[in-house]
Amino acid sequence: MASTHIHHPEHPGKFSANTPVGGSDNAKSDHPVIAPGDIAIGVVIGRASEYFDFFVYAIASVLVFPTIFFPFEQRLEGTLYAFTIFAFAFLARPFGTVIFMAIQRKLGREVKLTLALFLLGLSTAGIAFLPTYEHLGFTAIVLLSLLRIGQGLALGGSWDGLPSLLAMNVPKNKRGWYAMLGQLGAPVGFIVAGLVFAYLIGNLSNEDFLDWGWRYPFYVAFAINVVALFARLRLVASEEYSSLLAERELEPTSVVDITRTQGRNLIIGALAALASYALFHLVSVFPLSWISLYSMRSMSDFLMVQVFGAVLMMVGIVLSGPIADRFGRRTTLGALAVLIAVLSGFVPTLINGGDTGQDIFILVGFALLGLSYGQAAGAVTANFPAKYRYTGAALTSDLAWLVGAGFAPLVALGLSAHFGLAYVSIYLLSGAVCSLAALSVNRALDVR
């Protein structure tokens, strides 16, 4: 069953949960109307809180965990071990989606979201209170791994369907604009996390920072999760949203069924955004590790450069909306995949180019990331029939993160440290090529 966005004279820009196909501007409804902007706010709040957790852990994986959890290894090996545990969340995320989809079918959307965000908050707070290797030995590493897996399961379970609902209920000529709104959570999360860590590093001694200062951002993340939980529940638990989600058939479906019938779309969706997701960690997490290992730059100053890059990313995300609406989302993503491929050729020169070269790489990389990532989430989810859109969008996102970003810091640092930065170029180039291939296949499917 499908419905269309309609403009009510008394509620411009809003739509009703029970507006039939072919509804006109004069259509009336006794049901409450819902503004796309309200959904967008819920999406941004939810994603910003998740990304803040994400970047707090990522930054700590570079600046803290190699020292306090792997003191028995050299700094490079300790960082590689920390990046290995960092990847555990991306491995766990699809399993979290499957588990919590089953919970939703049994107990409802509100129970699922509450449990998922409770697990996320518990895992994040657990890291804040975690004893170090010095106090607990190898058990501390095991506990860190389990808490990271808990974060991944929770992120998979926190899918609320609001991005899909937003994509299906906006005017056709505004799809790109609304698609980018939820993506703003990424730079917002990085900006807050980067500023918190930059402040702590700049104002604490190294001993105090490694003793207790690094734990503070995890406390903040827990508090933000609580606020985000109530903000999202207020939307998802309302009768209006429940009715609209049900009418749009945005309900969980069997993973076996969707894998069997929509496997091709899942794969295309994961690969179409590969360039964006690979670049995501190659301008945020990987440079931080490279600078900490092979440069004398102040980490707080470099974090501030990345924060400014995240501001450019926000600008790029906003611009991606009208660009995609003007030229088409797939054309936009294809053009940006080509630009990312071009950037990949300059990785060794820029990162080895001193402060100026590194800053150029960060700022240009974040700007391209914003333009590309702004439309990445909705690249091919429209390929899913309504029945499979809810679960398909969640699994596509999980797979894209796993394939494109989950192991990017580990692979990039390992390759560059042992074989040179040229291999980071090859890694990023391969992501761009995969994106172009997937977008080409998807265009061919549309033509047929």
Side-chain angles (χ1 to χ4, degrees), residues 4 6 34 55 60 105 175 214 245 252 280 283 315 318 326 336:
T4 57
I6 69 166
I34 308 167
F55 284 118
R105 287 196 296 269
R175 285 176 180 170
W214 70 270
L245 285 165
F280 197 100
V283 296
V315 174
V318 172
R326 173 66 177 82
L336 286 161

Side-chain angles (χ1 to χ4, degrees), residues 21 28 39 76 104 157 169-170 175 197 222 248 334 432 435:
V21 173
K28 301 292 183 181
I39 307 177
L76 171 61
Q104 179 174 337
N169 290 281
V170 297
R175 285 176 180 170
F197 271 101
F222 176 76
R248 286 299 198 178
S435 287

Side-chain angles (χ1 to χ4, degrees), residues 4 6 91 240 266-267 271 303 329 379 381 387 401 420 435 438 442 444:
T4 57
I6 69 166
L91 290 168
E240 300 96 316
L266 287 172
I267 294 173
L271 295 180
L303 274 170
R329 183 178 294 156
T381 53
K387 175 184 176 182
W401 278 111
S435 287
N442 189 67

